[in-house]
Amino acid sequence: EAEGGQNGCVAFKCVSGEVITLLAAKNSQKYRIQSNSFIALYIVIKQFLTKLRRHFDKIGGAQGLAITFPGPVPLQEYFDIIDSRFELRVRQRSYREMLSQRAQQFRAIQRRLLTRFKDKTPSPLQNMDTLLEGTYQQILALADADLQTTKALEEADHSLSTATKLLLLLVKLWCPAMDDKQAAVLQSCLTPDVNSSDDVGWEEMVDASITMLLRTCLAKTTKEQSVVAASLKLPSDTTKLKKHIALLLERLNKGGTLSLNTFSEKQSHRNKDQIESGS
């Protein structure tokens, strides 16, 4: 619908309530797309770019079409989504550890009660029946909390996946030198495939992949090439991951290329220089 009857302004409202507004500049070929939700922007931006390219294809001007994003990339909004999902992962792990402990306690109390019931001269229960009931109620509460957290984590997976797709789209527009091959490499490392059921979490896989890029084709010094690879264990927080993502995008924007051929050439030049200096 046209917002307020103004020309060059269109607003879209999602079923979930988010509003996305597309504004066209009067005196230049610039567009502003804004929303009260970061992830809601993705589908509108993607469809807008698709229709824009299709329009220029029809009029025969697709070869001269250049679509760019001036930046900066909205990393803070993206990092907020990462943090929210990571908190749910930590909470889910905590619930499951406590659930395992209470289950062990429940079985231990059961064994002691059965032993006393089988005894020919049974001794007092010493409130073990009350302890058994209390432990059982705790197990039910923890199981319910874990179920709710799992549902919330599934929604967070979808949000992070959509946010990552949007970030990849913006980065490609932000770095005009990036071709489709480099974009595919970036997507394989900063993957939008988010699944909480995987044994290794998204944060660990992405951090390890980005660390590999920073050690190879995006490395500036030999010191950076010797950085230890990231561990595939659940980290204590997302500080290192966010730092690596920001560094990755900064180097891409400054002309870095995601090509192992470039890394091999750099290595060859460095080895040659070392040989010459040694001689």
Side-chain angles (χ1 to χ4, degrees):
E1 62 179 15
E3 195 173 71
Q6 299 179 5
N7 293 327
C9 179
V10 179
F12 305 90
K13 188 172 183 179
C14 300
V15 176
S16 52
E18 295 89 351
V19 176
I20 306 97
T21 305
L22 192 155
L23 302 167
K26 293 182 179 180
N27 302 318
S28 64
Q29 294 181 334
K30 293 183 178 180
Y31 297 89
R32 177 190 294 271
I33 302 177
Q34 58 192 26
S35 174
N36 56 351
S37 170
F38 181 68
I39 60 175
L41 289 168
Y42 172 66
I43 188 65
V44 173
I45 292 177
K46 183 181 179 182
Q47 289 298 319
F48 175 70
L49 294 178
T50 300
K51 292 183 180 298
L52 193 63
R53 292 188 179 102
R54 189 178 300 165
H55 169 73
F56 276 87
D57 280 338
K58 288 182 179 180
I59 64 176
Q63 293 182 351
L65 177 65
I67 304 175
T68 59
F69 173 63
V73 176
L75 281 179
Q76 187 55 53
E77 290 81 355
Y78 183 63
F79 290 160
D80 289 342
I81 295 174
I82 291 178
D83 288 337
S84 298
R85 180 184 177 276
F86 183 76
E87 289 176 5
L88 289 171
R89 280 192 67 197
V90 173
R91 191 185 309 168
Q92 184 187 59
R93 170 165 290 197
S94 176
Y95 283 145
R96 292 184 176 179
E97 288 177 353
M98 289 190 291
L99 189 58
S100 176
Q101 293 171 2
R102 295 300 181 272
Q104 291 178 2
Q105 177 178 309
F106 186 79
R107 289 192 293 269
I109 298 171
Q110 278 185 321
R111 286 194 296 268
R112 294 187 65 179
L113 283 173
L114 287 173
T115 300
R116 295 202 176 190
F117 288 147
K118 291 178 180 179
D119 195 350
K120 294 181 179 180
T121 57
S123 56
L125 296 180
Q126 295 179 339
N127 295 323
M128 278 197 295
D129 54 339
T130 304
L131 183 59
L132 183 71
E133 177 64 23
T135 304
Y136 177 68
Q137 293 300 327
Q138 288 179 352
I139 290 174
L140 292 179
L142 288 170
D144 183 64
D146 177 64
L147 179 61
Q148 297 301 322
T149 304
T150 301
K151 291 180 179 179
L153 192 54
E154 290 175 355
E155 295 180 4
D157 288 348
H158 175 71
S159 297
L160 181 57
S161 176
T162 304
T164 303
K165 290 177 183 178
L166 175 57
L167 185 71
L168 292 170
L169 182 61
L170 294 178
V171 169
K172 193 171 187 298
L173 298 177
W174 190 45
C175 305
M178 181 180 291
D179 55 23
D180 291 339
K181 289 184 178 180
Q182 293 185 59
V185 173
L186 179 61
Q187 181 171 332
S188 66
C189 294
L190 187 59
T191 175
D193 296 330
V194 185
N195 190 348
S196 298
S197 62
D198 293 338
D199 294 333
V200 180
W202 180 88
E203 292 83 357
E204 298 92 295
M205 290 190 296
V206 169
D207 192 31
S209 300
I210 292 178
T211 300
M212 185 274 295
L213 291 179
L214 295 175
R215 290 177 59 197
T216 53
C217 51
L218 294 178
K220 287 188 175 182
T221 63
T222 54
K223 182 179 179 181
E224 291 183 350
Q225 295 175 13
S226 60
V227 175
V228 179
S231 172
L232 293 179
K233 296 180 180 179
L234 179 68
S236 57
D237 54 47
T238 58
T239 302
K240 185 181 292 186
L241 171 63
K242 292 186 290 187
K243 179 181 178 182
H244 287 166
I245 292 176
L247 184 60
L248 169 69
L249 299 189
E250 178 185 348
R251 292 192 179 177
L252 287 176
N253 184 247
K254 290 182 178 180
T257 56
L258 298 177
S259 172
L260 293 178
N261 293 332
T262 304
F263 171 66
S264 300
E265 292 175 1
K266 288 181 180 179
Q267 283 289 89
S268 300
H269 287 308
R270 288 193 182 115
N271 294 336
K272 183 178 180 181
D273 292 339
Q274 289 176 359
I275 294 173
E276 291 178 352
S277 61
S279 61

